[in-house]
Amino acid sequence: MGQNDISPAAAEAVETREDLARCVEALQAELINGAVWENDHLERFLEASASGIRSSPAYYANTGRPAPDDASWPFFANALGAATIYE
């Protein structure tokens, strides 16, 4: 995964806890290695995470995909990736 690259396709490939853990580790490595994120402080990241989760139906609609009714590993991966740039 590259800088800010928790893309919808990468997130949809997440099927297990281990896959999700690797996504989180990739995000951590990105930040440690100097990636520029809109929300690079924990307070802003968590606020953006909550906002992204709440507005996820619109995100999925804008990408032409149905929003999941129940939480899934790909859903959480998308939420984490979106939190790096969501305002």
Side-chain angles (χ1 to χ4, degrees), residues 8-72:
E12 294 300 325
V14 173
E15 296 179 348
T16 67
R17 280 186 295 271
E18 187 57 34
D19 291 344
L20 181 59
R22 280 193 289 272
C23 281
V24 172
E25 289 167 345
L27 289 171
Q28 180 188 23
E30 237 181 60
L31 195 57
I32 288 170
N33 291 320
V36 178
W37 288 1
E38 178 73 26
N39 302 310
D40 60 353
H41 291 85
L42 183 58
E43 180 181 356
R44 290 183 67 185
F45 183 87
L46 293 173
E47 178 183 11
S49 293
S51 295
I53 291 166
R54 281 194 185 94
S55 67
S56 63
Y59 164 77
Y60 279 90
N62 288 338
T63 60
R65 298 177 298 140
D69 290 329
D70 296 322
S72 63

